[in-house]
């Protein structure tokens, strides 16, 4: 399970830079608009999109076929995606 998390973090590394840029941009908008609930909603949406972004990266690299040859059950791979989403929501 730890190796799957590490794989997803490697896949998300480039997207996390874009997410950081969005957070900086929306923080500026929050200060300008004087509304902190807007920033909370944006961060919640960005972090809840992490599993979908990881799945898109896996689809682009055809990791699904390679993952089937590994000694990891499909249930474990799916559980890891749900946990990634829950961790993202908790962090947000």
């Amino acid at each position: 399970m730890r190796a799957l998390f590490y794989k997803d973090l490697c896949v998300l590394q480039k997207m996390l830079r874009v997410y950081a840029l969005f957070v900086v941009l929306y923080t500026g908008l929050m200060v300008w608009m004087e509304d902190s609930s807007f920033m909370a909603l944006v961060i919640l949406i960005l972090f809840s999109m992490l599993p979908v972004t990881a799945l898109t990266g896996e689809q682009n690299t055809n990791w699904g076929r390679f993952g089937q040859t590994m000694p990891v059950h499909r249930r474990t791979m799916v559980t890891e995606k749900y946990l990634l989403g829950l961790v993202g929501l908790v962090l947000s």
Side-chain angles (χ1 to χ4, degrees), residues 6-20 50 53:
Y6 180 72
K7 176 195 62 73
D8 281 340
L9 288 178
C10 289
V11 168
L12 293 173
Q13 187 175 12
K14 290 182 183 177
M15 282 305 297
L16 289 178
R17 292 180 195 155
V18 174
Y19 282 4
L50 282 178
T53 306

Side-chain angles (χ1 to χ4, degrees), residues 26-72:
Y26 285 121
T27 301
L29 281 172
M30 178 193 68
V31 170
W32 182 67
M33 292 173 45
E34 298 175 357
D35 184 18
S36 62
S37 63
F38 175 72
M39 185 61 187
L41 180 65
V42 168
I43 288 177
L44 184 69
I45 290 172
L46 284 177
F47 276 101
S48 65
M49 287 176 27
L50 282 178
V52 176
T53 306
L55 284 171
T56 303
E58 288 177 2
Q59 185 177 13
N60 289 339
T61 60
N62 291 327
W63 194 87
R65 288 183 179 177
F66 179 71
Q68 290 176 353
T69 64
M70 304 297 284
V72 179

Side-chain angles (χ1 to χ4, degrees), residues 1 3-4 63 67-78 80:
M1 184 77 74
L4 291 173
W63 194 87
Q68 290 176 353
T69 64
M70 304 297 284
V72 179
H73 298 290
R74 284 186 183 182
R75 173 178 261 168
T76 306
M77 288 189 239
V78 172
E80 185 267 336

